[in-house]
């Protein structure tokens, strides 16, 4: 359905991963439901795509979060993809799957806190499904907002980004800024 709805903008039919440049940012969309291990075609594609990018800032998005305090927990199968992004100096990962909002401090592929080179992840699964409760708090989780719907307003600027998590009742439930590596 995705490919019929968005055509060539969704990448090659049946693959589910693609990239494009948006201003000063390189945007990578991955398919966390396809093979994602170190030896997968998707991992090889990601490595080559990141090596070819000249952008200073990189954002990646996929469905199953590498890290999550939500009901589904960490998606360990995304470790190889995170490692590729970390090695290339990526800045932000967006994911969903858990029906909550969570922001993580910048970290490596093995849950190590890394304020200099780490990748910041946002889990935003608050777009309409019934909110679900959090489980055990994952390492490096900075903010968790549950029990509500909401949207992430992410502003990408040359060399930096800012975010606001907006909810119907509370307004701005989380906000901040970051710089690219």
């Amino acid at each position: 359905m995705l490919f019929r709805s968005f055509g060539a903008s969704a990448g090659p039919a049946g693959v589910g991963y693609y990239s494009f440049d948006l201003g000063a940012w390189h945007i990578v969309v991955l398919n966390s439901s396809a093979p994602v291990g170190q030896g997968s075609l998707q991992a090889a594609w990601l490595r080559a795509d990141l090596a070819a990018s000249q952008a200073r800032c990189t954002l990646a998005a996929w469905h199953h979060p590498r890290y999550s305090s939500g009901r589904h927990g960490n998606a360990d199968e995304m470790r190889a993809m995170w490692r590729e992004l970390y090695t290339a100096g990526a800045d932000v990962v967006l994911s969903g799957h858990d029906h909550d909002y969570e922001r993580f401090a910048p970290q490596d592929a093995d849950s190590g806190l890394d304020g200099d080179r780490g990748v910041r992840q946002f889990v935003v699964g608050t777009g309409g499904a019934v909110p679900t409760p959090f489980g055990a708090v994952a390492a490096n989780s900075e903010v968790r907002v549950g029990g509500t719907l909401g949207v992430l307003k992410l502003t990408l600027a040359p060399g930096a980004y800012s975010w606001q998590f907006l909810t119907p009742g509370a307004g701005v439930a989380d906000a901040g800024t970051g710089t690219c590596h």
Side-chain angles (χ1 to χ4, degrees):
M1 182 64 179
L2 174 71
F3 302 106
R4 281 184 268 144
S5 298
F6 293 98
S9 296
V15 175
Y17 50 89
Y18 57 95
S19 68
F20 59 94
D21 291 328
L22 180 65
W25 283 74
H26 186 61
I27 310 297
V28 179
V29 178
L30 300 175
N31 184 350
S32 61
S33 294
V36 292
Q38 186 63 31
S40 69
L41 290 175
Q42 189 171 186
W45 172 86
L46 177 61
R47 191 175 313 109
D49 179 78
L50 293 170
S53 175
Q54 298 298 309
R56 176 178 173 203
C57 305
T58 301
L59 178 146
W62 62 77
H63 184 71
H64 302 92
R66 169 69 186 101
Y67 303 106
S68 177
S69 302
R71 179 174 65 142
H72 296 104
N74 296 343
D76 291 332
E77 64 273 15
M78 295 307 294
R79 180 177 281 124
M81 304 307 260
W82 193 283
R83 189 165 282 122
E84 295 293 342
L85 291 161
Y86 176 81
T87 299
D91 304 287
V92 176
V93 165
L94 300 176
S95 59
H97 195 54
D98 279 314
H99 299 170
D100 53 46
Y101 170 83
E102 187 168 18
R103 174 173 49 87
F104 286 84
Q107 55 191 325
D108 64 22
D110 299 310
S111 303
L113 187 63
D114 186 343
D116 294 327
R117 295 191 54 237
V119 183
R120 179 180 302 282
Q121 179 186 263
F122 295 89
V123 177
V124 188
T126 55
V130 174
T132 55
F134 288 101
V137 177
N140 304 311
S141 175
E142 292 183 318
V143 173
R144 291 167 304 288
V145 179
T148 186
L149 301 177
V151 297
L152 178 66
K153 178 182 177 184
L154 190 60
T155 303
L156 306 177
Y161 59 98
S162 62
W163 67 87
Q164 291 182 314
F165 180 62
L166 307 169
T167 65
V172 178
D174 183 38
T177 61
T179 57
C180 298
H181 306 311

